[in-house]
């Protein structure tokens, strides 16, 4: 829970101040609406995600499984853009708020005043340096940081509550201000419903909660495919974190709006981005306030580390597997340099302002939770659970409203997300084109009959492969294909041959293991394989046959009619097109030695 809480609980460092700035006197009511959304919306959704994805894949993997073909890949790429927004803004916003806590401390050196941007960039650089040396999320460190942070927040919030209720005038002043601005209670609720999306910060902790599921003990001898105890443990984790945070949010929003003058929340004010720290210094003295600041700075910095670790975990999980990133993107250090550079640019763009980044953070968080709710709705619908479908459907609609409202009110969040999405799409397309001529086979396996047919077909010492596009697969098809290829390539009638057939499956996949199945059909020897692409599969099978037999295979094609450019586009999108020249090029790249390279014949 503490590993999750590094991200989730750390938002107490800036959430109350952002809430007061966004909602004013309505902050406690708007925060209550947010808490209701958390407990009745986000929590049930991610409890379902834990059931559907018990091995830590998260909601994105759920959508990937529920959708098919290129639609699944496109949805994942778009969501990765919002993941990048969420985690990247977590890094930059947390560092900016850590800077605010540092500079507002009365013991901070004078020469640091006014250097928010520089200090934030230094913190980001230190974060990147840690990962360049090698970083493993230390649960022990997270427990210490979160434990101390929650403890000092209990002290501050309890003290603030005591001051509020021992000074009734403060409560009356707040209530008078609230009723003056909004005389009708229904109007208060309506305005709070409009405002609360601005406060939806930190809920990405729920996504982190399901990502850490593999760390939860699921019991000795438990079935790995049905880890019931792990799921129950995750449910307790999510529920406990949500209840703790909900109590803190309601109490902190009420006490900060009652005890802190409105002008102190404004940009440049002493409570801007650090409302609880302001109360700690005011009511518990600068020594305890400094302890609070140090604790907050540490957990905010570690929240940035948690977000960086999240990026380093999510991006290599999808893009290289899709062929939409080079293989070096699986390595940690190059990605750290890329993400640190992006964090620098974002921080400079927002001038290290906590308030300015709130909208972008909320957008990334809300889109992730919305996608999780939609995935949960689809999952229970496919299981035939009508009541749960309606419940999750309503949650999805509410989260959809929240997301759209936040985007309309603060469009900079979706603008940043669009930049990330376009960058990911462009890089993915270029990488997919660049890597399209790789073998794209993780493994080639021949079944027993395929091995027997191969032995029969190599009785004369050569391996002759007839490439065939399977259609009707009747006797006429094999007779005509065999006659045509033997005629144009001058193969003798007695030359032993093997037909090779590739049946296309999901062409949006990039790489897959190849299971070659043998078949006797109408007196022909046939090797069948299912794959997302034809020429790469043919090349991979030929190289495997060469290694197995010690002979250079010969493969025979007919030319495909049509424009070469159009055929190239068809290959990139659908894994087909002009097969012969692409097969030869894949072989050329995979086997640089012409003497060992399988021979491609086309006529």
């Amino acid at each position: 829970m503490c590993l999750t809480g590094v991200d989730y609980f750390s938002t107490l460092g800036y959430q109350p101040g952002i809430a007061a700035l966004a909602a004013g006197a309505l902050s406690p009511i708007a925060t209550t609406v947010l808490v209701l959304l958390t407990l009745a919306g986000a929590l049930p959704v991610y409890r379902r995600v834990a059931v559907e994805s018990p091995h830590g894949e998260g909601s994105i993997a759920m959508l990937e499984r529920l959708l098919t073909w290129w639609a699944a890949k496109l949805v994942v790429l778009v969501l990765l853009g919002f993941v990048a927004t969420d985690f990247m803004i977590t890094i930059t916003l947390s560092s900016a708020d850590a800077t605010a806590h540092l500079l507002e401390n009365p013991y901070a050196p004078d020469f640091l005043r006014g250097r928010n941007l520089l200090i934030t960039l230094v913190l980001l650089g230190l974060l990147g340096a840690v990962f360049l040396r090698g970083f493993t999320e230390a649960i022990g460190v997270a427990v210490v940081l979160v434990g101390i942070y929650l403890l000092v927040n209990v002290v501050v919030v309890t003290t603030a509550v005591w001051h509020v209720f021992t000074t009734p005038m403060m409560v009356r002043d707040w209530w008078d201000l609230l009723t003056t601005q909004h005389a009708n209670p229904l109007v208060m609720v309506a305005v709070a419903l409009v405002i609360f999306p601005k406060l939806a910060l930190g809920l990405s902790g729920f996504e982190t909660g399901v990502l850490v599921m593999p760390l939860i003990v699921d019991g000795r001898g438990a079935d790995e495919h049905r880890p019931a105890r792990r799921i129950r443990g995750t449910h307790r984790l999510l529920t406990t974190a949500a209840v703790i945070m909900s109590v803190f949010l309601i109490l902190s929003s009420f006490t900060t709006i009652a005890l802190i003058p409105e002008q102190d929340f404004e940009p440049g004010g002493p409570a801007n981005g650090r409302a609880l720290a302001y109360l700690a210094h005011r009511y518990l003295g600068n020594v305890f306030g400094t302890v609070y600041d140090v604790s907050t700075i540490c957990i905010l910095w570690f929240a940035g580390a948690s977000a960086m670790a999240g990026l380093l975990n999510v991006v290599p999980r999808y893009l290289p597997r899709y062929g939409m990133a080079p293989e070096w993107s699986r390595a940690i250090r190059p990605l750290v340099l890329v993400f640190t550079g992006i964090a620098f640019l974002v921080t400079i763009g927002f001038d290290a302002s906590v308030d300015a980044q709130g909208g972008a953070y909320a957008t990334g968080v809300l889109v992730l939770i919305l996608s999780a709710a939609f995935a949960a709705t689809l999952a229970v619908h496919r299981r035939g659970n009508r009541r749960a479908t309606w419940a999750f459907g309503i949650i999805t609609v509410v989260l959809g409203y929240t997301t759209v409202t936040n985007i309309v009110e603060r469009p900079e969040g979706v603008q940043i997300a669009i930049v990330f999405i376009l960058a990911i799409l462009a890089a993915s397309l270029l990488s997919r084109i660049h890597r399209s001529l790789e073998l794209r086979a993780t493994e080639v396996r021949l079944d027993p009959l395929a091995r027997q047919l191969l032995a029969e077909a190599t009785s004369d010492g050569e391996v002759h492969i007839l490439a065939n596009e399977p259609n009707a697969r009747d006797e006429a098809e094999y007779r005509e294909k065999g006659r045509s290829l033997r005629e144009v390539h001058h193969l003798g009638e007695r030359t032993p041959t093997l037909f090779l057939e590739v049946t296309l499956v999901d062409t949006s996949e990039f790489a897959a293991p190849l299971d070659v199945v043998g078949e006797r059909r109408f007196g022909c020897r046939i090797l069948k394989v299912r794959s997302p692409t034809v020429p790469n599969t043919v090349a991979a099978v030929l190289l495997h046959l060469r290694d197995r037999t010690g002979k250079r295979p010969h493969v025979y094609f007919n030319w495909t009619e049509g424009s070469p450019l159009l055929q190239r586009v068809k290959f990139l999108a659908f894994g087909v097109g002009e097969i012969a020249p692409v097969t030869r090029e894949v072989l050329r790249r995979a086997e640089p030695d012409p003497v060992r390279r399988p021979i491609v014949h086309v006529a």
Side-chain angles (χ1 to χ4, degrees):
M1 190 194 70
C2 291
L3 191 62
T4 300
V6 169
D7 181 8
Y8 192 24
F9 298 142
S10 69
T11 58
L12 285 171
Y14 47 81
Q15 167 87 356
I18 290 179
L21 195 61
L26 270 174
S27 173
I29 297 176
T31 301
T32 301
V33 175
L34 175 63
V35 167
L36 291 176
L37 175 66
T38 300
L39 297 178
L43 179 58
V45 163
Y46 278 96
R47 286 171 67 95
R48 168 53 59 177
V49 171
V51 173
E52 300 290 338
S53 181
H55 306 298
E57 301 94 337
S59 59
I60 296 180
M62 282 178 62
L63 283 174
E64 184 187 29
R65 291 194 301 267
L66 291 168
L67 300 174
T68 58
W69 205 54
W70 285 104
K73 305 299 184 294
L74 184 60
V75 166
V76 168
L77 291 177
V78 171
L79 287 178
L80 285 178
F82 286 103
V83 168
T85 303
D86 178 11
F87 287 158
M88 189 58 64
I89 298 299
T90 297
I91 294 170
T92 58
L93 187 147
S94 297
S95 297
D97 196 51
T99 300
H101 281 78
L102 173 64
L103 294 181
E104 289 296 334
N105 187 279
Y107 301 123
D110 290 336
F111 70 87
L112 295 178
R113 306 292 179 185
R115 302 183 183 275
N116 299 58
L117 179 59
L118 178 61
I119 296 173
T120 304
L121 292 177
V122 170
L123 290 176
L124 293 173
L126 291 174
L127 179 65
V130 169
F131 279 89
L132 286 175
R133 288 181 58 86
F135 179 88
T136 301
E137 285 183 329
I139 296 179
V141 174
V143 171
V144 172
L145 290 179
V146 172
I148 293 174
Y149 185 68
L150 290 180
L151 179 62
V152 295
N153 271 285
V154 167
V155 174
V156 173
V157 171
T158 302
T159 302
V161 170
W162 184 83
H163 276 279
V164 168
F165 284 101
T166 56
T167 315
M169 184 179 298
M170 291 183 175
V171 179
R172 286 198 300 270
D173 290 344
W174 166 71
W175 183 253
D176 291 341
L177 177 62
L178 182 61
T179 53
T180 300
Q181 295 176 348
H182 311 285
N184 190 326
L186 293 178
V187 174
M188 292 182 191
V189 175
V191 174
L193 288 173
V194 173
I195 292 175
F196 90 92
K198 299 179 182 179
L199 317 184
L201 306 175
L203 294 182
S204 58
F206 284 100
E207 188 76 23
T208 310
V210 293
L211 290 178
V212 301
M213 284 189 70
L215 301 177
I216 298 173
V217 176
D218 60 352
R220 183 181 302 174
D223 183 357
E224 183 65 19
H225 299 290
R226 301 184 64 185
R229 292 187 62 185
R230 176 183 294 171
I231 294 171
R232 288 198 297 271
T234 305
H235 287 176
R236 288 195 295 271
L237 182 158
L238 295 173
T239 303
T240 305
V243 170
I244 291 173
M245 191 63 171
S246 296
V247 172
F248 272 118
L249 284 176
I250 291 176
L251 294 179
S252 64
S253 66
F254 176 68
T255 54
T256 52
I257 203 65
L259 297 175
I260 300 176
E262 184 177 353
Q263 64 273 14
D264 287 351
F265 290 110
E266 299 294 330
N272 181 252
R274 54 184 303 277
L276 289 177
Y278 177 96
L279 295 179
H281 283 275
R282 180 176 176 179
Y283 293 109
L284 295 167
N286 287 334
V287 173
F288 183 87
T290 300
V291 172
Y292 186 91
D293 284 339
V294 171
S295 173
T296 304
I297 290 169
C298 289
I299 196 171
L300 286 169
W301 186 84
F302 206 74
S306 176
M308 178 71 83
L311 283 171
L312 294 174
N313 176 53
V314 171
V315 171
R317 178 181 294 177
Y318 294 101
L319 295 185
R321 178 162 58 87
Y322 292 171
M324 294 177 174
E327 281 300 316
W328 61 257
S329 63
R330 297 182 187 272
I332 297 299
R333 288 181 175 83
L335 282 182
V336 169
L337 292 174
V338 172
F339 293 146
T340 302
I342 294 173
F344 280 179
L345 294 176
V346 172
T347 297
I348 294 171
F350 283 108
D351 197 27
S353 169
V354 175
D355 297 327
Q357 297 178 74
Y361 185 26
T363 298
V365 171
L366 288 171
V367 171
L368 276 184
I369 298 180
L370 176 60
S371 68
F374 180 66
T377 304
L378 286 181
V380 296
H381 175 69
R382 292 192 175 187
R383 294 178 183 272
N385 192 332
R386 184 173 299 179
R387 181 177 298 179
T389 300
W390 276 102
F392 284 116
I394 292 172
I395 294 173
T396 302
V397 170
V398 173
L399 288 170
Y401 153 77
T402 307
T403 304
V404 171
T405 302
N406 181 77
I407 290 173
V408 171
E409 289 288 326
R410 306 188 71 173
E412 69 274 10
V414 77
Q415 291 168 359
I416 293 176
I418 288 174
V419 171
F420 280 116
I421 291 169
L422 292 177
I424 289 174
L425 289 175
S428 299
L429 177 61
L430 292 175
S431 176
R432 182 88 178 205
I433 293 173
H434 177 71
R435 299 187 61 193
S436 63
L437 297 175
E438 295 179 6
L439 280 179
R440 296 167 60 172
T442 57
E443 185 181 4
V444 180
R445 301 183 290 253
L446 274 65
D447 75 349
L449 181 54
R451 293 195 293 269
Q452 180 181 338
L453 296 177
L454 176 63
E456 294 175 4
T458 56
S459 58
D460 67 345
E462 297 286 346
V463 183
H464 299 283
I465 304 295
L466 306 182
N468 180 49
E469 180 183 357
N471 293 304
R473 303 194 76 237
D474 55 14
E475 185 175 3
E477 176 182 326
Y478 290 106
R479 185 172 60 250
E480 175 58 26
K481 190 68 174 182
R483 184 201 61 79
S484 171
L485 288 174
R486 287 178 185 276
E487 177 182 337
V488 296
H489 293 292
H490 304 287
L491 285 173
E493 288 293 332
R494 296 183 178 276
T495 303
T497 59
L498 275 168
F499 281 96
L500 177 59
E501 298 179 347
V502 180
T503 300
L504 287 175
V505 288
D506 184 356
T507 56
S508 65
E509 292 294 329
F510 184 74
L514 303 179
D515 290 305
V516 183
V517 178
E519 181 183 9
R520 297 184 190 274
R521 193 177 182 87
F522 307 117
C524 300
R525 305 180 189 92
I526 304 171
L527 301 181
K528 302 184 301 181
V529 60
R530 297 169 60 85
S531 171
T533 176
V534 176
N536 312 70
T537 301
V538 173
V541 171
L542 291 175
L543 289 172
H544 181 79
L545 297 182
R546 179 205 64 185
D547 295 339
R548 189 176 187 87
T549 63
K551 304 291 184 181
R552 295 172 65 192
H554 296 254
V555 62
Y556 302 90
F557 295 95
N558 287 331
W559 284 112
T560 302
E561 296 294 332
S563 164
L565 180 59
L566 179 60
Q567 298 296 336
R568 175 65 170 165
V569 173
K570 288 175 64 178
F571 164 67
L572 293 173
F574 306 112
V576 293
E578 182 54 86
I579 306 300
V582 178
T583 300
R584 197 267 176 188
E585 180 60 19
V586 173
L587 287 169
R588 187 186 68 83
R589 297 190 180 201
E591 177 51 78
D593 185 359
V595 177
R596 302 190 68 245
R597 189 184 304 150
I599 302 170
V600 176
H601 304 263
V602 57

